[in-house]
Amino acid sequence: MPTKKGPSKRSVKPKLTIVRDFAAPRALVFAAWTQPEHLKQWSAPHGFKIPVSEGELRAGGSWHAVMVMPDGTKLPLGGTYRKVVPGKLIVQTHQWSGPDAGPETVVTVRFSDTPGGGTRIKFEQTGFDSAASRDGHAGGWNECFERLDTLLAKLLARKSHGRRK
């Protein structure tokens, strides 16, 4: 007697998606995502620091950063750029270093214009080994985006102030 096969038991890994609008032009938002002097100011949750941020922004180029927790614990991380389309798209791997590294995830950031001259990012991170890991990253990334919003406002104010001179 033939046996009936059930649905595939393939596990679906948790995915993180965040869509966020920034009141800044796309070129400036992309620069904030790709220039170390900007990344060091926003690319960590509140209370954390990024003293090291370096990489080669091209497909196949690697990147490396060190995040420092409020208690001084260093959290190295890095990855490889898979695709870079200036002003439009960044696809990169993301992995913590060390004994508790966890899985390599893939971060995709799409940049688009919003009415009024702002920028929308669609941020996706895939490859988590658990929903808890995804949720932890969601909290961290949302805090990063709050810091990015603050940085962009400062950069725009500085630019505007420079024009009034």
Side-chain angles (χ1 to χ4, degrees), residues 29-35 39 42 90 109 111 121 123 145 148:
V29 178
F30 190 82
W33 272 88
T34 58
Q35 295 176 6
L39 284 163
W42 72 266
I90 300 170
V109 187
F111 301 80
I121 62 158
F123 172 94
F145 297 157
L148 176 56

Side-chain angles (χ1 to χ4, degrees), residues 47-123:
F48 288 64
K49 294 182 178 158
I50 298 273
V52 176
S53 177
E54 54 198 20
E56 191 175 354
L57 186 67
R58 63 169 181 78
S62 63
W63 67 274
H64 170 76
V66 176
M67 188 180 298
V68 180
M69 296 172 60
D71 70 3
T73 303
K74 293 180 181 176
L75 305 170
L77 65 153
T80 303
Y81 291 105
R82 290 188 172 173
K83 187 170 185 179
V84 177
V85 179
K88 295 182 181 181
L89 175 71
I90 300 170
V91 181
Q92 67 189 54
T93 61
H94 179 285
Q95 186 169 31
W96 299 99
S97 300
D100 300 322
E104 179 179 75
T105 61
V106 177
V107 171
T108 302
V109 187
R110 294 179 186 350
F111 301 80
S112 60
D113 296 329
T114 61
T119 302
R120 173 167 292 149
I121 62 158
K122 182 176 182 186
F123 172 94

